[in-house]
Amino acid sequence: MLYTAVAALAIATTPFVRAGSAVTPPAGSPWATAYSKAQTALAKLSLQDKVGIVTGVGWNKGPCVGNTSPASSISYPQLCLQDSPLGIRFSTGNTAFTPGVQAASTWDLDLIGQRGQFIGQENKAAGVHVTLGPVAGPLGKTPQGGRNWEGFSPDPYLTGLAMAATINGIQGAGVQATAKHYILNEQELNRESMSSNADDRTLHELYAWPFADAVNANVAAVMCSYNRVNSTYACEDTYTLQTLLKNQLGFPGYVMTDWNAQHSTVQSALAGLDMSMPGTDFNGGSLYWGSALTNAVNSNQVPLSRLNDMVTRILAAWYLTGQDSGFPSVSFSRNVQGSHNTNVRSIARDGIVLLKNTGNILPLKTPSSIALIGSATIVGAHANNSASCSDHGCNLGALGMGWGSGTANYPYFVAPYDAINTKASSIGAKLTLSSTDNTSAGASAASGKDVAIVVITADSGEGYITVEGNAGDRNDLNAWHSGTALVQAVAAANSNVIVVVHSVGAINLEQIVALSQVKAIVWAGLPSQENGNALVDILWGAISPSGKLVYTIAKSPSDYNTRISSGDDNYSEGLFIDYKHFDDAGITPRYEFGFGLSYTNFTYSGLSITSNAKSGPATGAVVPGGPSDLFQDVATVTVSIKNTGAVTGAEVAQLYITYPSSAPRTPVRQLRGFDKLSLTAGQSGTATFNIRKRDLTYWNVASQQWVVPSGTFGVSVGASSRDLRLTGSFTVS
Ligand SMILES: *[C@@H]1O[C@H](CO)[C@@H](O)[C@H](O)[C@H]1NC(C)=O
Ligand SMILES: *[C@@H]1O[C@H](CO)[C@@H](O)[C@H](O)[C@H]1NC(C)=O
Ligand SMILES: *[C@@H]1O[C@H](CO)[C@@H](O)[C@H](O)[C@H]1NC(C)=O
Ligand SMILES: *[C@@H]1O[C@H](CO)[C@@H](O)[C@H](O)[C@H]1NC(C)=O
Ligand SMILES: *[C@@H]1O[C@H](CO)[C@@H](O)[C@H](O)[C@H]1NC(C)=O
């Protein structure tokens, strides 16, 4: 019943009424079998068992960051929930995978999926049932947002596909994935008190969009966020949990709280919360469920049917991922790395974006003398898991990820110096290291060398740690440690300067770009443990750079229309974040969304469009993710791409859609397709973009439906959001 649009609308008006029974997923959905097993198991459980399954045992009361109680009658274990989105936190045997933003920068869904698969394999081998990732919130509307790097991109289409690929990888390996943080959790400042007040269309088209992909990929769990939504805490908000997530998106899995994001016993239960994590606050207090939930059920403030629904959802996710047989016990000292570092290296490398390359200074040929400059060139407290830098809460030495709960220990760390020193030895080049940010030492090292490589950084993280005055969110968009001044000093001493940036997000590059001595800017992102190896792969051209920016680098911080809010945030910019704002306001960025150079050239030709799209609302029965027709292909676009340069390279061709004028005000162009082709010199290939019905819709607030507007849709295909090589259109009636 729930899985029809009609039922969803009916329930929307009476959100707490569950008709005394749990949801029934559509036949054919992988959830159907899982639900039937869960319902059989439910019948064997006592009230105490049920409450134990939905309530964490309390902070620091079990082996994992989150643990629930076992139920022996159904051989249900103490569930282990563990950070983080890039690997197993607090473990000594894990791989430190690249952050999400680096994975997105590859635009390579195979690598992103493999990353998810390896994360899943490591978690399973460590006995973790539920991994607390991937991240689609923050989406990254504000460049300064402290945790943007944990997720993928401020573009919801790109983030959505990255979420789905990651979840398929994790769950295919037998581990439950958690899409987080739901929803409108875009900054660290006041995150546990502020209210995010987005309008309904922005909520659907931007912030909920990638969560719909997650649900469509059958994600087991969704984590509600700390912030309030329209003044109501996200973990007790009926509209976003019950109406949007469970009814409109047809989410069959369970909603868990962020850690200590629960504020009520009854309201959260009635709003659609299914699991309390970690069950208490960080001092063992604030026990909202457990015995309090038992009392609420006994006094019928929370219907037993609602508790049964919570338990059914949690058990179904456990069956869905095959965890009811042969699941390993928990251990965080087992070596579970396998050869997963190949994925780290590939993503660290293929996520590198070449921003500038004057006179083709890169790839490096055979310099006889090289200066390597900056504190981020060598292993320091960040990279050596120093106790003085817990959760990587420092920016000392080479950088591989941001800080906070979204991190993991490094099993090893190859810093720029380590890899460049090896390379320099192998080609007989003399390497001079200046491993501080001291400008005169840097200039002196650079003087007289064939090339000077300067490594600069910017860092951010979760708000419970303050690093160099940045309480999670970044205070500004400057390079840290006076990185710009260091580059200027080196440029005064050497006219072949290569700037390498390891950063959580956009920084102001204007003074660096303006220096004629800076011949190359290598945007190396957050490469995790393979930092130096990935850099050498690109600097010496073992592989041509193929990453593209997943956010806009502006000429001025004031060109962005979003800020960290000191109080509540009304999301008044609506849909117009990142490149959508720059396009709409006619502002030229320094480096646009989707931009990235390579060591070869690609030409685009032969745009072909076929469409059988029809205007009108999506009316299919609701499947996980929304009405089923939203996920059906309605148009296909192909273009021919030729590598016209001299070396093998990969091109990320991007497709942007312009809506017809019959739609309400919409961004000038929105990413709705991409395809990454690897081509040898002279080779041609076909980029194919499959456009789903969803990709042509807007959220109609009045009818509460996804609607394809009638009229002519513009199609632009190119090498970035502004380097549009081919345009065409198709008409929908
Ligand atoms: C917040 O409230 C406004 C006004 O009632 C409404 O239009 C909007 O959809 C709400 N947003 C969310 C996220 O609930
Ligand atoms: C880690 O780095 C810190 C800071 O540079 C240093 O003091 C410490 O000795 C290092 N520890 C190891 C084990 O390398
Ligand atoms: C920077 O290095 C120079 C020598 O290259 C030294 O004289 C100076 O004291 C250093 N400055 C700082 C702040 O360490
Ligand atoms: C948000 O909107 C409300 C209601 O319109 C208004 O009272 C408030 O001042 C706005 N807040 C900000 C930070 O703009
Ligand atoms: C790409 O083409 C441009 C001119 O169109 C040329 O200047 C550049 O050298 C070419 N780059 C490569 C790597 O072939």
Side-chain angles (χ1 to χ4, degrees), residues 92-97 337 341 383 385 408-413 528-529:
T92 53
N94 61 287
T95 300
F97 291 90
Q337 295 167 64
N341 59 354
N385 306 319
N409 288 326
Y410 296 114
Y412 63 83
F413 195 99
S528 195
Q529 65 194 41

Side-chain angles (χ1 to χ4, degrees), residues 384-463:
N384 75 6
N385 306 319
S386 170
S388 66
C389 186
S390 70
D391 293 333
H392 298 296
C394 72
N395 184 11
L396 298 172
L399 189 66
M401 61 182 68
W403 73 77
S405 67
T407 61
N409 288 326
Y410 296 114
Y412 63 83
F413 195 99
V414 179
Y417 172 74
D418 305 323
I420 291 174
N421 189 37
T422 302
K423 182 71 186 179
S425 302
S426 76
I427 60 169
K430 181 172 161 34
L431 180 64
T432 303
L433 175 68
S434 176
S435 64
T436 70
D437 299 314
N438 179 320
T439 52
S440 48
S444 146
S447 178
K449 306 304 185 307
D450 288 350
V451 62
I453 303 169
V454 189
V455 183
I456 63 174
T457 64
D459 202 358
S460 73
E462 198 171 353

Side-chain angles (χ1 to χ4, degrees), residues 508-562:
N508 187 347
L509 287 171
E510 290 308 288
Q511 290 171 284
I512 291 172
V513 170
L515 296 167
S516 61
Q517 301 92 332
V518 173
K519 298 283 167 41
I521 302 176
V522 178
W523 192 263
L526 294 177
S528 195
Q529 65 194 41
E530 287 286 324
N531 175 317
N533 287 334
L535 196 55
V536 164
D537 285 343
I538 294 298
L539 290 180
W540 269 273
I543 305 252
S544 176
S546 64
K548 303 259 189 171
L549 288 178
V550 295
Y551 42 73
T552 300
I553 297 180
K555 290 184 178 175
S556 163
S558 62
D559 286 346
Y560 297 101
N561 58 341
T562 48

Side-chain angles (χ1 to χ4, degrees), residues 183-184 196-201 203 229-230 237 239-240 701:
I183 193 168
L184 304 174
S196 295
N197 309 324
D199 65 86
D200 199 37
R201 192 173 162 218
L203 177 68
V229 173
N230 273 356
D237 182 47
Y239 182 71
T240 49
V701 174

